[in-house]
Amino acid sequence: MSQPIASDFLEALRDSAPVMFGYIPLGMAFGVLFQSLGYHWLFAPLAGVVIYAGSAQFMAVGLLAAGVSYTEAFVATLVLNSRHIFYGLSVLSRYPKHGLSRWYLIFGLTDETYSLITAKPPESSGTTRYFVYLTGLNQSYWVLGCALGASLQSFFAFDSAGFEFALVALFLVLLIEQVRSMSERWLLAVALCASGLAYVLVPNQFLLVAIGLCLATLMVRVRGGGVHG
Amino acid sequence: MDNSYLLGIFTVMGIATFITRALPFVALAKVKNHSVLDQFGRLLPPMIMVVLVCFGLVSLEVESIDRGGLSALSFVVVILLHAYFRNPLLSILVGTGVYVIGIQGFGL
């Protein structure tokens, strides 16, 4: 509303650039892996369009190879992606209440999109149009990566070893940004302990358990501690 | 190749993924207590970011001491660059560049 369309788009393009450096190599890795199944390469970008979840798509390659039932694929995906349930909690108030854009934004709420959206201070929180551009750009990087990996796999060997660090760096940068404006930093130590505990106890459900522990602590804090800051 | 089986799997996985993302929006649509939700919205993201950084670090395949050192070096490069310049793209590109060069150029 306050900004012209072009500046919303440019802002989304600038903010999403780091995700591009993570998604294209990662999407390519998926595309290359997907080609090992022997399907037409166009199905790889299609997975990016209809599923749009990195870890779930990598799992899909294994499920397809094993020939699992639809029910098994459904349940396995629910379990794998269950951490997303916690993400909605933090963006609930920022997202539009109605309309197609609301459902697209929910559909496209990946780890990285979530990180970028919550990194915006709530008071300068972007317009719905900005969120849609940001989510759409991120998904297009991902779909492009899937398409490149699957289509070019046989033509050239792109060595993407090491590019996985881009996503670590992105999360780290966003963490630094969020820490600057955080009032209760002891919660970060809680999150670090939760991660350590989850890694030692249930490494194959790391994200779900670590985020669950964080949420449990936060519930106690929010209910018991009243409203500060 | 059975394309209809592939499309079926894609469809159920797409639906399952959407359900996990949409659940809080549907389940909490009626919640009136916005101060509690606002606190979650404010305090939860930095905590999740700590978890995601840890997740990223443990996902890097640290199979040697050299590789561990390279990860640590790249990590510190990102922090220092971001502390001084506060330019996300610069911090991420240079940090990733150090890591990629270490692996591909020096075989760490």
Side-chain angles (χ1 to χ4, degrees), chain A residues 36-224:
Chain A
S36 66
L37 292 171
Y39 288 98
H40 194 281
W41 70 267
L42 273 172
F43 286 116
L46 184 70
V49 172
V50 296
I51 306 177
Y52 189 36
S55 44
Q57 284 178 225
F58 280 98
M59 182 176 72
V61 177
L63 296 180
L64 286 164
V68 299
S69 70
Y70 293 149
T71 316
E72 283 174 289
F74 184 76
V75 173
T77 311
L78 279 184
V79 172
L80 184 71
N81 283 333
S82 42
R83 69 179 182 284
H84 289 143
I85 292 170
F86 305 130
Y87 290 179
L89 274 176
S90 342
V91 293
L92 209 55
S93 55
R94 297 186 184 203
Y95 272 16
K97 299 281 172 277
H98 309 282
L100 201 60
S101 56
R102 171 183 171 85
W103 296 106
Y104 177 63
L105 290 175
I106 293 171
F107 167 80
L109 194 57
T110 59
D111 294 337
E112 292 73 18
T113 306
Y114 169 82
S115 311
L116 290 179
I117 283 172
T118 55
K120 286 264 160 196
E123 54 279 8
S124 77
S125 189
T127 61
T128 297
R129 207 165 47 207
Y130 166 78
F131 289 149
V132 171
Y133 285 141
L134 189 70
T135 307
L137 280 167
N138 283 352
Q139 189 175 11
S140 52
Y141 304 144
W142 176 252
V143 172
L144 180 67
C146 296
L148 286 175
S151 61
L152 301 179
Q153 180 249 5
S154 43
F155 296 109
F156 81 118
F158 169 68
D159 190 358
S160 64
F163 279 88
E164 65 272 19
F165 193 84
L167 291 178
V168 182
L170 171 68
F171 293 136
L172 183 57
V173 162
L174 294 172
L175 172 64
I176 297 170
E177 288 297 318
Q178 297 197 352
V179 167
R180 284 178 201 265
S181 57
M182 193 183 192
S183 51
E184 298 177 48
R185 294 189 181 160
W186 63 277
L187 288 169
L188 300 175
V190 170
L192 198 60
C193 294
S195 303
L197 211 59
Y199 182 64
V200 172
L201 297 179
V202 266
N204 52 357
Q205 287 295 333
F206 176 84
L207 279 177
L208 182 63
V209 172
I211 294 176
L213 288 172
C214 289
L215 192 71
T217 315
L218 202 53
M219 275 176 167
V220 175
R221 150 72 186 80
V222 167
R223 293 197 165 198

Side-chain angles (χ1 to χ4, degrees), chain A residues 17-18 37-39 43 46-47 50-53 56 60 64 67-68 70 73-74 77-78 81 84-92 102-103 106-107 109-110 114-115 118 159 161-162 164-166 168 170-173 175-178 180 182-183 187-188 191-192 195 206-207 210 214-215 218-219 221 227-229, chain B residues 1-26 28-29 34-58 60-61 67 71 74-75 78-79 82-83 86 88-89 91-93 95-96 99-100 103-104:
Chain A
L37 292 171
Y39 288 98
F43 286 116
L46 184 70
V50 296
I51 306 177
Y52 189 36
L64 286 164
V68 299
Y70 293 149
F74 184 76
T77 311
L78 279 184
N81 283 333
H84 289 143
I85 292 170
F86 305 130
Y87 290 179
L89 274 176
S90 342
V91 293
L92 209 55
R102 171 183 171 85
W103 296 106
I106 293 171
F107 167 80
L109 194 57
T110 59
Y114 169 82
S115 311
T118 55
D159 190 358
E164 65 272 19
F165 193 84
V168 182
L170 171 68
F171 293 136
L172 183 57
V173 162
L175 172 64
I176 297 170
E177 288 297 318
Q178 297 197 352
R180 284 178 201 265
M182 193 183 192
S183 51
L187 288 169
L188 300 175
L192 198 60
S195 303
F206 176 84
L207 279 177
C214 289
L215 192 71
L218 202 53
M219 275 176 167
R221 150 72 186 80
V227 183
H228 301 293
Chain B
M1 288 282 102
D2 186 354
N3 286 345
S4 62
Y5 170 66
L6 174 101
L7 291 174
I9 290 284
F10 278 8
T11 307
V12 295
M13 291 186 73
I15 292 170
T17 301
F18 184 72
I19 288 174
T20 59
R21 288 175 183 162
L23 206 60
F25 292 90
V26 176
L28 300 173
H34 283 286
S35 106
V36 168
L37 277 187
D38 285 346
Q39 286 190 72
F40 274 107
R42 194 166 47 83
L43 298 172
L44 190 57
M47 296 178 82
I48 290 184
M49 226 49 69
V50 170
V51 173
L52 287 174
V53 168
C54 293
F55 176 70
L57 285 178
V58 300
L60 297 174
E61 284 161 19
R67 183 66 74 86
S71 306
S74 315
F75 199 77
V78 173
I79 294 176
H82 204 67
R86 228 183 151 175
L89 203 51
S91 320
I92 292 166
L93 276 183
T96 307
Y99 191 78
V100 171
I103 287 181
Q104 297 195 8

